[in-house]
Amino acid sequence: MRTLCASTLIGEFFVIGFAGLVAMKSDDLTAATVWTVCGIGMLLSVLLCGMLGRPGGVALGWALQIALVVSGFFVPVMYFLGVAFAALWWASVHYGRKIDEAKARWAAMETEADAAPAAG
């Protein structure tokens, strides 16, 4: 799960950066607003990659996704990105856990297979 979630966060980092460049073209937003919102989102995405293996890492990922949706009040394009990222985060957590379970089953079967000839 950790690899899939970290990949999602790195993808978010780049998409948020590109969204910031697009949002800067808006006459309604200042560069400071755009880069404050996008910069914080980008920074948190990268920092969270290192925290995924710790207790509460996935919960912090959810907090980041909610914060990205809420940041849409300041930079409207971030609302749509936040919703898309939240869906992607759910998929990463859900399918990442399934991948981890499959890896654990394979490791257990390999361990049993390695132990069987030694017992005979």
Side-chain angles (χ1 to χ4, degrees):
M1 177 178 69
R2 195 171 148 191
T3 302
L4 194 55
C5 289
S7 299
T8 299
L9 290 168
I10 293 300
E12 287 183 20
F13 171 84
F14 286 109
V15 172
I16 291 169
F18 291 133
L21 293 173
V22 171
M24 287 201 36
K25 300 289 182 183
S26 173
D27 295 332
D28 299 334
L29 300 170
T30 65
T33 300
V34 170
W35 286 117
T36 299
V37 170
C38 292
I40 290 171
M42 291 170 70
L43 178 67
L44 291 176
S45 294
V46 171
L47 291 175
L48 188 55
C49 283
M51 298 178 66
L52 285 173
R54 298 180 187 267
V58 174
L60 287 173
W62 279 115
L64 173 63
Q65 306 314 314
I66 292 167
L68 290 174
V69 171
V70 171
S71 71
F73 288 112
F74 304 102
V75 179
V77 71
M78 290 303 294
Y79 173 76
F80 300 106
L81 287 176
V83 170
F85 288 151
L88 187 58
W89 183 254
W90 174 85
S92 295
V93 171
H94 178 74
Y95 292 111
R97 285 189 176 140
K98 288 185 182 252
I99 291 168
D100 288 349
E101 290 169 3
K103 283 182 179 178
R105 280 195 305 270
W106 278 100
M109 287 191 305
E110 286 180 1
T111 302
E112 288 175 11
D114 291 343

